[in-house]
Amino acid sequence: MIRRYWLIAFLIVHLANTEAAGQLLPNIEIINALKESDRHIANGKSQYALVQLHQVLQTKEAVTDQNILSHLYNNLAIVLARYNNFTGAMACFYKAGSIETKYNTTKRGKRYLSFFSTNANYDNKIKEDIVNDDILELMVQDQINQKELERTEEYESERIQPETIVEAFLDQKEATHYALAILIKQPIPGQKNTNTGLGEVGHSFISLIKYNKDQSAICKSFGFYPEEGQLIPVNPLIPTALSVIKDDSYHNWDQLLGKFVSKDQFEKILEYIDHNIANEYHLSDYNCSDFALTIAQLGNIQIDNTVGYWPLGKGDNPGYIGQSILGGKYFNLDTKTKEGLFTCSNNLFTKTKK
């Protein structure tokens, strides 16, 4: 009789362990896939990382650990940003932040290669309102199916009519969220240089995103440029020119700093664009970086140490802004900390862009 009780007890424990193992196994496989995606992200292999993350996204219903879900969305945010899919990237940042309430930082030396933190105003119960997982999965699958776009500085951003930016957001649809991203292409990635010595000064531009209740979204990425075609291009001796706005949807970048903004902040940004987008371009006083930093300030983003010097001039510039982002010299003025901000590097310090 006693032996039978021991046998029954053994079977119960065995079945319990088997069931626990069955529940644990998917999480182990998912954790391994996420670790693989970490490695691919660190090595700049975005396509490989996206394949791993897509597999996890398809099996996320088996996940019981909320930290794993936050890890998934965190990595998706970084990879989608590297593909210039800022709509998907900021949505994943939001979804990860609404799950996990701690900082996630990746550093190399003193450089912040990625910084991910939650916003105290994020509400877990409405995280699916921004971009649901079915749409996100289609977005990721579509990106995997496409051949990787070779984003180089040879890609020419096209001039657009300034008024089309504001008009695009007046779609008469109810919005649920608004996001802003500041993007920096340094003259020399990872270095505080105002130019390359060969005339290349880098570029600063922004991306504005409006997420609608019906799961649609509007994203506009654009930058402030001097008008081309002058007999003598803008230079320290002739620092002024008429300005133009260009579509920077496919422009390469080294550093991104993003934040969700309030409806009031977003409307102030649109108002500023509507009234100041035709300002005269001035190399020292109002260049692409001044334009981007002004919009950042309207979104309550502060970036320190942005002014550098060059022969016969000084001013805000992409080289210094990029280094400040890499060094963590930025703040969310809504929280008085870095909380609520997302930043990542675009395959910086890696040999491959795949």
Side-chain angles (χ1 to χ4, degrees):
M1 181 69 71
I2 295 175
R3 291 181 61 186
R4 186 162 62 177
Y5 285 148
W6 275 110
L7 179 60
I8 293 172
F10 172 79
L11 289 173
I12 291 173
V13 170
H14 176 70
L15 289 172
N17 289 338
T18 302
E19 184 178 356
Q23 293 174 346
L24 185 61
L25 185 59
N27 275 8
I28 292 175
E29 293 173 347
I30 287 170
I31 289 170
N32 289 336
L34 288 174
K35 287 181 177 178
E36 278 292 294
S37 73
D38 289 338
R39 184 172 62 83
H40 292 318
I41 287 171
N43 292 329
K45 297 180 179 178
S46 298
Q47 188 77 3
Y48 293 131
L50 202 60
V51 170
Q52 293 288 330
L53 294 169
H54 184 238
Q55 293 175 358
V56 177
L57 187 62
Q58 289 181 309
T59 58
K60 67 177 283 291
E61 296 304 321
V63 175
T64 57
D65 188 336
Q66 294 296 297
N67 293 335
I68 293 176
L69 290 178
S70 183
H71 190 172
L72 165 64
Y73 292 125
N74 183 346
N75 285 12
L76 279 170
I78 293 171
V79 176
L80 289 174
R82 288 178 175 180
Y83 280 105
N84 282 33
N85 186 338
F86 306 125
T87 301
M90 291 303 294
C92 287
F93 164 58
Y94 186 98
K95 289 162 80 73
S98 65
I99 294 169
E100 181 57 44
T101 57
K102 68 179 181 181
Y103 292 92
N104 188 336
T105 304
T106 302
K107 295 183 72 175
R108 187 171 298 170
K110 294 183 179 180
R111 306 178 192 275
Y112 285 82
L113 298 188
S114 68
F115 182 92
F116 193 103
S117 68
T118 64
N119 187 318
N121 295 325
Y122 289 0
D123 188 346
N124 187 51
K125 69 181 181 180
I126 63 168
K127 67 179 185 297
E128 290 293 340
D129 287 350
I130 189 163
V131 172
N132 67 46
D133 281 340
D134 291 336
I135 293 177
L136 182 60
E137 186 179 334
L138 291 173
M139 191 183 292
V140 171
Q141 183 63 64
D142 183 61
Q143 190 67 68
I144 292 173
N145 292 339
Q146 292 182 29
K147 291 183 178 180
E148 185 172 13
L149 189 64
E150 291 292 336
R151 297 189 302 272
T152 70
E153 286 310 291
E154 295 178 0
Y155 184 92
E156 186 67 28
S157 294
E158 296 183 358
R159 181 174 178 173
I160 57 175
Q161 295 300 317
E163 60 270 16
T164 62
I165 295 171
V166 175
E167 289 173 357
F169 293 103
L170 305 178
D171 59 350
Q172 305 302 314
K173 291 187 177 182
E174 183 180 353
T176 58
H177 307 82
Y178 303 90
L180 162 66
I182 311 301
L183 299 121
I184 308 297
K185 181 70 184 78
Q186 295 177 275
I188 303 175
Q191 296 185 29
K192 187 184 286 187
N193 297 74
T194 58
N195 60 81
T196 60
L198 299 174
E200 176 57 50
V201 297
H203 185 49
S204 302
F205 60 103
I206 69 167
S207 185
L208 294 178
I209 310 162
K210 174 177 177 277
Y211 297 91
N212 293 322
K213 191 173 182 179
D214 65 359
Q215 293 288 300
S216 64
I218 300 165
C219 179
K220 290 291 181 180
S221 301
F222 54 95
F224 187 76
Y225 290 81
E227 188 174 46
E228 297 174 343
Q230 296 185 127
L231 184 62
I232 301 176
V234 168
N235 62 77
L237 289 174
I238 306 176
T240 62
L242 296 176
S243 66
V244 298
I245 299 299
K246 292 186 178 182
D247 181 354
D248 284 329
S249 298
Y250 300 106
H251 200 294
N252 202 2
W253 54 273
D254 297 312
Q255 308 303 327
L256 176 152
L257 180 60
K259 174 181 181 284
F260 277 86
V261 297
S262 67
K263 182 175 185 290
D264 183 60
Q265 289 168 346
F266 195 81
E267 288 177 347
K268 286 181 179 178
I269 290 170
L270 292 183
E271 184 179 1
Y272 177 82
I273 291 170
D274 195 34
H275 290 88
N276 297 277
I277 209 162
N279 285 354
E280 182 181 61
Y281 184 97
H282 192 288
L283 186 61
S284 295
D285 297 336
Y286 198 80
N287 55 39
C288 64
S289 294
D290 295 297
F291 177 74
L293 287 173
T294 300
I295 291 176
Q297 290 166 1
L298 291 171
N300 272 359
I301 297 174
Q302 176 181 315
I303 306 175
D304 295 332
N305 194 20
T306 60
V307 176
Y309 291 80
W310 53 82
L312 304 178
K314 68 172 184 177
D316 293 317
N317 64 93
Y320 275 61
I321 298 173
Q323 287 307 104
S324 289
I325 294 175
L326 272 174
K329 297 177 182 178
Y330 52 81
F331 297 95
N332 179 357
L333 296 179
D334 289 332
T335 63
K336 312 300 182 186
T337 66
K338 291 182 176 62
E339 188 176 354
L341 296 175
F342 167 53
T343 184
C344 68
S345 295
N346 189 10
N347 303 335
L348 191 62
F349 314 122
T350 60
K351 294 181 180 180
T352 175
K353 284 287 183 179
K354 271 193 171 181

